[in-house]
């Protein structure tokens, strides 16, 4: 039986706070697009609108509709993915019950089963929202992508290179604490150089005792492996891709893959597939939001990037133009302080556990 949610003032306040935090993150992710696009625009009015967006989103903590706002469909997908990410954090927040042990396997087998149980498009959106939040923190702390995880765009769990274990631990804290982390760093980020922001991040590394990348990167990378019996039962047909009941109240086109995902994997859409591949190759950070994109956003993106090429600017979504640049010392310090050390050993599930999983899941 599912647990009963207590109808108390405390539980209602918690739900209200969660929904408010979701809106904060929708606004911040929207701001990331506005921040990036304005850097390639020569229109003074565009910069004024960007400052208005920055004031509302970063300073006042509100959303602001501008020319880069998410569509209704994209907004719904992003909000749903944020709630799914919060559920995952609540269930599997990373912690270390064994002190300084680095061989703690956490709950990887349970995480793998959770990820396997999602409809494929929901897993793609969860993977994308993780990347978008990480990209936001990456820019705030001037990490320049060095210790951030990488993954094959639109292929959750494939081609994964783990990021720093402290960064993944921070990601496991949940939306509210992540928003607080972002807010705290933004209070100082425009007044300090890269080395100062990196120094503050490295101080976080010394204050935590992470247990390896066993929160998200490892289970996602393992749950589609070709072997069975290690850590989890691989169930590629566990969730049917057709015939699923639609989400009640969901807008049209949100009970399946986004337009961009469908197009990218459609052999008959060669022209658009080439455009998406170009987008990924030229701007490796931009794929983090592709799971949510509709056709209109792709067209607007290429319109802006074409204008940028005409005037000789290079467009990047994770733009560090506002910063002073990364020194070799900063790079070495980041890698030393937050090594992508997985610290994980695969284990075989007991036969009894495997039998139980198979009987429950059919």
């Amino acid at each position: 039986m599912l647990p009963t949610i207590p109808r108390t003032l405390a539980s209602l306040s918690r739900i209200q706070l969660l929904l408010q935090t979701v809106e904060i993150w929708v606004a911040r992710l929207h701001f990331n697009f506005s921040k990036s696009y304005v850097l390639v625009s020569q229109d003074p009015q565009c910069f004024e609108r960007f400052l208005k967006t920055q004031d509302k989103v970063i300073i006042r903590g509100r959303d602001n509709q501008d020319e880069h706002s998410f569509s209704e469909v994209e907004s719904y997908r992003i909000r749903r993915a944020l709630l799914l990410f919060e559920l995952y954090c609540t269930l599997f927040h990373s912690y270390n019950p064994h002190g300084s042990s680095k061989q703690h396997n956490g709950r990887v087998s349970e995480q793998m089963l959770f990820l396997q149980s999602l409809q494929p498009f929901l897993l793609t959106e969860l993977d994308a929202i993780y990347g978008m939040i990480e990209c936001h923190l990456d820019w705030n702390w001037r990490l320049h992508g060095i210790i951030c995880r990488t993954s094959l765009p639109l292929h959750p769990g494939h081609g994964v290179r783990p990021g720093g274990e402290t960064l993944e631990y921070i990601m496991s804290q949940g939306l509210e604490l992540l928003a607080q982390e972002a807010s705290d760093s933004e209070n100082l980020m425009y007044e300090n150089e890269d080395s100062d922001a990196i120094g503050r991040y490295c101080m976080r590394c010394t204050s935590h005792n992470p247990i390896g990348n066993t929160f998200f990167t490892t289970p996602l990378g393992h749950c589609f492996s070709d072997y069975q019996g290690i850590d989890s039962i691989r169930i590629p047909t566990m969730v049917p891709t057709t015939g699923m009941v639609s989400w009640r109240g969901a807008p049209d086109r949100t009970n399946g893959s986004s337009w961009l995902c469908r197009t990218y994997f459609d052999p008959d859409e060669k022209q658009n597939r080439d455009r998406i591949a170009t987008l990924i190759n030229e701007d490796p950070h931009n794929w983090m939001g592709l799971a949510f994109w509709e056709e209109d956003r792709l067209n607007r993106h290429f319109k802006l990037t074409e204008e940028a090429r005409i005037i000789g600017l290079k467009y990047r979504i994770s733009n560090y133009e506002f910063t002073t640049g990364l020194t070799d010392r900063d790079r070495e310090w980041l890698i030393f302080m937050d090594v992508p050390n997985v610290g994980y050993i695969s284990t075989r599930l007991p036969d009894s556990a495997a039998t139980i999983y198979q009987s429950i899941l059919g």
Side-chain angles (χ1 to χ4, degrees), residues 20 270 290 303 346:
Q20 291 173 346
K270 185 180 187 308
L290 296 183
K303 179 178 181 295
S346 297

Side-chain angles (χ1 to χ4, degrees), residues 40 42 302-314:
V40 300
Q42 297 297 294
F302 274 96
K303 179 178 181 295
L304 286 168
T305 52
E306 181 59 30
E307 293 174 355
R309 291 188 184 98
I310 291 174
I311 60 178
L313 295 176
K314 186 176 181 181

Side-chain angles (χ1 to χ4, degrees), residues 273-329:
R273 286 181 64 202
D274 290 343
R275 296 174 77 201
I276 298 169
T278 299
L279 167 63
I280 294 171
N281 293 332
E282 292 186 356
D283 185 3
H285 291 280
N286 217 337
W287 71 266
M288 295 179 179
L290 296 183
F292 308 105
W293 281 30
E294 292 300 304
E295 185 175 11
D296 180 62
R297 180 167 295 279
L298 185 74
N299 292 333
R300 282 186 290 155
H301 170 82
F302 274 96
K303 179 178 181 295
L304 286 168
T305 52
E306 181 59 30
E307 293 174 355
R309 291 188 184 98
I310 291 174
I311 60 178
L313 295 176
K314 186 176 181 181
Y315 174 84
R316 293 294 296 270
I317 187 74
S318 187
N319 200 301
Y320 295 95
E321 292 291 333
F322 295 145
T323 67
T324 57
L326 188 70
T327 66
D328 291 339
R329 178 181 177 276

Side-chain angles (χ1 to χ4, degrees), residues 42-61:
Q42 297 297 294
D43 182 1
Q45 292 183 354
C46 180
F47 190 70
E48 291 178 5
R49 290 193 294 268
F50 164 73
L51 292 178
K52 178 182 177 181
T53 299
Q54 177 178 268
D55 177 70
K56 280 196 172 183
V57 172
I58 301 301
I59 299 177
R60 303 186 192 179

Side-chain angles (χ1 to χ4, degrees), residues 4 10 26 61 63 117 130 154-155 176-177 211 230 260 283-284 332:
T4 301
V26 170
D63 199 359
S117 71
Y130 185 101
L154 304 175
H155 295 78
E176 185 181 352
L177 289 176
I211 54 175
I230 303 297
L260 188 141
D283 185 3
E332 292 172 0

